[in-house]
């Protein structure tokens, strides 16, 4: 397994705990889609606002996952159209500006034609920009919970493989042989790290997240699976 760290974070510009739409328990993390985010600086003794190597995965295995619930374009409409086009779930840099090293797990495209993708400045996940025949699109409905995960299995060094899952079903796989870009940023949840694009609010996440888990050193899923239906109550080896 990998390393276990108790992380610290800073809630900025309104992102916080809310009771409006919990997945498990009584609360979830709420993002209003206008420059809300949470920065995670890494290990408990990290300096607030600085980058961390905790979320640089190098050539190893990893799993990044969460439950997400997207806001709708019509107030209080259940399972209607999603409110926003491009939305960042997690990022340490990179997309949509390749000059910044790092990786991003995100939704992109028109709200009626969303795709779910993973990208970093070394090129893994570039297949996510390939024609529609190379992957299935993701058409989320508003105010509905989805489990999303991106995984790299590096157990076979000659043939590491990347995966994206939605609700435990494989959406995309790719050969992932180049390693990961090493970011100097903290982990950001819910928005881009690019200053100008953040100010414009173009990539802000609108909705709710619950049971976020990042596992460094372990590929938790390599085939279709049933997402856990309950709160994560312990952090196994490899979790951050």
């Amino acid at each position: 397994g990998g390393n276990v760290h108790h992380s610290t974070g800073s809630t900025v510009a309104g992102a916080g705990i809310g009771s409006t739409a919990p997945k498990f328990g009584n609360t979830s993390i709420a993002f209003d889609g206008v420059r809300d985010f949470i920065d995670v600086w890494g290990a408990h003794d990290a300096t607030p606002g600085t980058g961390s190597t905790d979320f640089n995965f190098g050539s190893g295995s990893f799993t990044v996952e969460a439950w997400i619930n997207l806001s709708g374009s019509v107030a209080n409409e259940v399972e209607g159209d999603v409110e926003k086009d491009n939305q960042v779930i997690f990022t340490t840099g990179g997309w949509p500006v390749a000059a910044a090293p790092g990786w991003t797990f995100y939704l992109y495209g028109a709200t009626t034609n969303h795709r779910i993708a993973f990208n970093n400045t070394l090129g893994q996940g570039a297949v996510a920009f390939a024609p529609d025949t190379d992957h299935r699109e993701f058409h989320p409905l508003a105010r509905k919970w989805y489990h999303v995960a991106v995984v790299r299995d590096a157990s076979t060094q000659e043939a590491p493989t990347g995966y994206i899952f939605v609700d435990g079903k494989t959406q995309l796989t790719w050969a992932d042989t180049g390693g990961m870009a090493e970011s100097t940023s903290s982990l950001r949840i819910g928005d881009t790290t690019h200053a100008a694009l953040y100010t414009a609010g173009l990539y802000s996440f609108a909705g709710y997240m619950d049971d976020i888990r990042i596992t460094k050193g372990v590929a938790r899923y390599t085939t279709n699976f049933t997402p856990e239906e309950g709160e994560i109550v312990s952090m196994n080896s490899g979790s951050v």
Side-chain angles (χ1 to χ4, degrees), residues 99-179:
W103 56 266
T104 305
F105 190 31
Y106 59 102
L107 305 174
Y108 78 100
T111 55
T112 56
N113 192 32
H114 262 132
R115 293 169 175 81
I116 187 166
F118 179 77
N119 191 260
N120 75 73
T121 52
L122 289 185
Q124 289 90 332
V127 68
F129 295 100
D132 292 346
T133 53
D134 286 358
H135 66 96
R136 287 191 296 171
E137 297 169 355
F138 175 41
H139 299 281
L141 299 175
R143 296 180 178 83
K144 179 179 179 181
W145 283 101
Y146 297 91
H147 183 271
V148 296
V150 58
V151 179
R152 183 214 273 142
D153 179 14
S155 58
T156 303
Q157 292 186 353
E158 295 79 9
T161 304
Y163 304 85
I164 289 176
F165 297 93
V166 174
D167 287 342
K169 302 297 189 296
T170 305
Q171 304 297 305
L172 178 68
T173 64
W174 66 94
D176 194 348
T177 58

Side-chain angles (χ1 to χ4, degrees), residues 142-221:
R143 296 180 178 83
K144 179 179 179 181
W145 283 101
Y146 297 91
H147 183 271
V148 296
V150 58
V151 179
R152 183 214 273 142
D153 179 14
S155 58
T156 303
Q157 292 186 353
E158 295 79 9
T161 304
Y163 304 85
I164 289 176
F165 297 93
V166 174
D167 287 342
K169 302 297 189 296
T170 305
Q171 304 297 305
L172 178 68
T173 64
W174 66 94
D176 194 348
T177 58
M180 298 282 289
E182 293 193 3
S183 173
T184 57
S185 299
S186 56
L187 171 71
R188 178 161 292 183
I189 304 171
D191 213 330
T192 178
T193 58
H194 187 274
L197 295 175
Y198 164 73
T199 299
L202 297 178
Y203 298 92
S204 304
F205 184 87
Y208 304 89
M209 298 190 200
D210 208 344
D211 267 25
I212 295 168
R213 178 165 61 179
I214 297 178
T215 311
K216 186 175 182 177
V218 178
R220 290 184 176 272
Y221 318 114

Side-chain angles (χ1 to χ4, degrees), residues 69-117:
N69 183 321
L70 302 170
S71 295
S73 57
V74 178
N76 301 319
E77 182 182 19
V78 177
E79 298 191 8
D81 291 335
V82 172
E83 177 183 355
K84 296 189 67 178
D85 294 343
N86 303 316
Q87 301 190 52
V88 170
I89 306 170
F90 304 106
T91 188
T92 63
W95 185 90
V97 179
W103 56 266
T104 305
F105 190 31
Y106 59 102
L107 305 174
Y108 78 100
T111 55
T112 56
N113 192 32
H114 262 132
R115 293 169 175 81
I116 187 166

